[in-house]
Structure formats: structure tokens, C-alpha cells
Amino acid sequence: MNTTIDDSSMLSLEGFIVSPEAAHPLFLLTLAVYLVIFIGNVIVFSVIVFQKNLHQPMYLMICNMSVCDLIGSTAIMPRLMADFLTEVRYISYAACVVQAFCIHFYTAAAHLILTAMAYDRYIAICDPLRYNNIMTNSTLVKLFSLAWGGAFILIIILFALTLRLQRCRSRITEANCNNAALFLLSCADTTVNNIYGLFITFFVISFSLLVIVWTYIRILITCLYKRQSNSKSKAIHTCATHLTVYIIFEFTILFSIIMQRFQNVNPNARKITWVLVTTFPPCVNPIIYGIYTKEIRNNRFISQLGFSFPLLSADNHLLKVG
């Protein structure tokens, strides 16, 4: 029993503590949620990619967000479904590192993509006459490179610091792998890991928050000085969808961080926070950005798939840019 299970290549994953009777219903629930996330984001991605009239900065950023959501949810959901069907859970160290990397990469990239979206809306509303000259293909490439590349570099350094540690434990008391769970497997000093982990968390959240607050203050000032009520309505609607996604994502992240600090709460309640981070925002994002966006909702591609949304049939006054 002890032969190769506890060696350096395998880890024991505690997972959720559930009764055998609840395992199959939880598996089906997780499968249903993942299918909603996967189908919703794939549809939004496909519509934007295959419809040339949607090849505009705003929609391309939504497309990037859908890819990011798929990375985060796929990193955790399939493995979680499998774990519900077994009482003894093991994961290889390599697979654990990959899962943890994808989760952290998702959270960092999502923050930076949402920041790029705020900049796009700022230019569209505050400087509409120069929008096409500013938001060129070159600018989009730079924004996407900063978002994905910046997140990748920050997380690579995070995991390089973790992988250098010598492990002396093989049990992870979480439902999934993450950086903190990995460096806690070591008996060495993890002060550097803690400091850098807190630094990138503070940096990414603060940078995103400051840029979004600054852009929306400028947008609000611009809207107050605009005399056309129709322009104000379009601007407010355009910003409302982006802010809704950002607030949902940010509160989910903050809730997760807070819950991780309380080790004496119900184990399942603490473990579910990481699952919420990679499932709740990706689940609602296709609804907010996709289904409720007229240009996507009424697209011929959606109609050919047989999707219809009668509850959302009213025109949405999304600001058109590009």
C-alpha cells in the first residue's frame, strides 16, 4: 500500500469531504456547471472569430476573456468531477503543478484583460474621434501581449520560487492544487514565496483597480459634460456590462483570499472558494458579454445553432466602436 504512492512523484489530495450518497449528485452538478461554462464561452468565442463584422477591439477583448475563462475552468472542473467518484485521491506532482499554474495564470490574465477592456472603453467614450487611430491592430497586439505575457512572467517567477523548494510532505489538504498548497509541502523556509505571492496579488489587483477607477472617473466626467442623453445612455450601458464582470470577478477573488486565511472554518467551505473563482465568473461572463450583447445575440451563427433568448429580446444600446 505504501510502495509508490508516497514517493516524490505522487501527492495525496484531500478533496471535498462528502458522503458516498452525495458523490454522484455532486458529480452531475459539477458536470452541468462545466458544460454551461464550456458551451457558453465556446459559442461566444466562435461567433466573434467567424464573423468578420465582429472583428473590432471590444469584441476581440471579449474573445480573449472567453479563452481565459476556459483555461481557468478546465484547469479545475474535470479533475474535480473525477475526484467526486473516488474516495482515495492521488495526483502526480507534475499534474499538480500544471493545475496550480493554470489557476493562477487565469486569475492574473483575467485581471489584465479586464484592465485592457477599461482602456478601450475610455478611448471609445472620451476620445471617440481618434478611436480608430488609437485602437489599431498594433495597439491591440500590444495590449494582448501585455495582458497574457505579463501574467505569464509573473506566474512563472511565482512557480520557479516554489519548484526550487525541497519537499518533505506529500499531502495537500485542499480540493485542488495551488501555489500555497505546493510550497507548504516543503519543510524549508517559505518566507520569499509568501512575500512574492502577496506582492503579485497586491500588484495585479491594485494595478487593475487603479486603472479601472481612473478610466471610469474620466468616463463619468465626459458623460456629465455630454449634452446628448442618447450618448450618455449608450456610454453607461457599455460600461455597466464591463463593470459588472469586473465586480463579480473581484469580489470572488477577495472572498477566496479571505476564506483561505481562516483555517478553522468548515473545511469544505474553505475549499470551495478556489472552485468559485474558476467557475462563477466564467459561468456568468458569456451571459453578460455574449447573450446580452445585441450584436452577438442576434448573430446569424447563433440562429443557425438554434439558440434564442426571448427574455433578452429588447434592444440593448451597446456603444458601437470601430
Side-chain angles (χ1 to χ4, degrees):
M1 202 68 193
N2 276 346
T3 53
T4 58
I5 295 301
D6 292 327
D7 68 6
S8 61
S9 66
M10 298 299 293
L11 303 174
S12 167
L13 196 64
E14 184 175 276
F16 285 103
I17 303 170
V18 297
S19 63
E21 296 79 18
H24 285 86
L26 285 172
F27 169 82
L28 293 174
L29 175 63
T30 307
L31 176 62
V33 172
Y34 182 62
L35 287 175
V36 169
I37 294 170
F38 186 83
I39 293 172
N41 282 287
V42 167
I43 288 174
V44 171
F45 177 83
S46 301
V47 167
I48 295 170
V49 167
F50 293 112
Q51 300 299 311
K52 290 186 178 180
N53 63 306
L54 297 181
H55 290 182
Q56 303 172 27
M58 178 176 63
Y59 300 111
L60 293 175
M61 288 184 182
I62 292 173
C63 190
N64 274 261
M65 197 66 199
S66 291
V67 173
C68 191
D69 287 341
L70 286 171
I71 291 173
S73 57
T74 303
I76 196 169
M77 298 296 278
R79 173 73 203 194
L80 186 62
M81 285 185 278
D83 286 345
F84 279 131
L85 300 180
T86 180
E87 293 183 9
V88 182
R89 306 173 183 103
Y90 295 104
I91 185 171
S92 69
Y93 182 71
C96 191
V97 170
V98 170
Q99 184 187 57
F101 178 87
C102 289
I103 292 171
H104 289 277
F105 179 63
Y106 154 73
T107 57
H111 270 102
L112 297 178
I113 293 170
L114 287 168
T115 305
M117 285 182 174
Y119 176 73
D120 173 71
R121 278 148 179 74
Y122 162 70
I123 298 298
I125 296 168
C126 298
D127 200 359
L129 297 179
R130 296 179 58 231
Y131 181 84
N132 289 329
N133 293 328
I134 295 174
M135 296 303 293
T136 61
N137 290 337
S138 175
T139 302
L140 284 177
V141 169
K142 290 175 183 176
L143 287 173
F144 294 147
S145 298
L146 285 171
W148 292 104
F152 184 80
I153 291 170
L154 289 172
I155 304 305
I156 276 289
I157 296 172
L158 179 72
F159 278 84
L161 291 172
T162 297
L163 294 176
R164 71 187 171 85
L165 299 172
Q166 188 71 32
R167 283 173 287 126
C168 63
R169 304 183 185 91
S170 61
R171 182 169 179 79
I172 294 178
T173 59
E174 300 287 347
N176 58 272
C177 297
N178 56 68
N179 181 61
L182 282 170
F183 71 65
L184 286 175
L185 295 175
S186 173
C187 295
D189 183 14
T190 59
T191 303
V192 175
N193 300 72
N194 276 305
I195 292 173
Y196 183 74
L198 290 172
F199 164 74
I200 62 170
T201 301
F202 176 79
F203 171 76
V204 171
I205 293 176
S206 299
F207 173 74
S208 176
L209 181 63
L210 287 172
V211 172
I212 288 173
V213 168
W214 180 80
T215 54
Y216 275 96
I217 288 174
R218 296 295 301 270
I219 288 169
L220 180 61
I221 293 170
T222 302
C223 290
L224 291 175
Y225 280 96
K226 275 189 176 180
R227 295 180 179 180
Q228 301 93 340
S229 60
N230 188 43
S231 298
K232 290 182 183 180
S233 172
K234 289 180 179 180
I236 290 170
H237 183 88
T238 305
C239 298
T241 53
H242 172 258
L243 274 179
T244 301
V245 169
Y246 178 75
I247 290 169
I248 289 172
F249 181 70
E250 207 62 40
F251 271 99
T252 309
I253 291 284
L254 290 175
F255 177 72
S256 172
I257 292 172
I258 292 169
M259 287 295 290
Q260 293 299 318
R261 296 294 178 265
F262 294 97
Q263 299 294 323
N264 52 346
V265 299
N266 182 284
N268 284 343
R270 182 170 51 81
K271 292 172 189 174
I272 203 171
T273 56
W274 276 108
V275 179
L276 283 175
V277 168
T278 55
T279 55
F280 187 58
C283 195
V284 299
N285 285 355
I287 298 172
I288 297 171
Y289 274 129
I291 297 173
Y292 197 61
T293 301
K294 181 182 176 182
E295 287 79 0
I296 295 177
R297 187 185 71 240
N298 295 339
N299 196 274
R300 184 176 58 185
F301 183 80
I302 294 271
S303 302
Q304 288 172 348
L305 291 175
F307 288 91
S308 61
F309 308 99
L311 294 177
L312 300 172
S313 59
D315 285 346
N316 94 24
H317 302 289
L318 188 67
L319 178 66
K320 295 180 182 179
V321 295

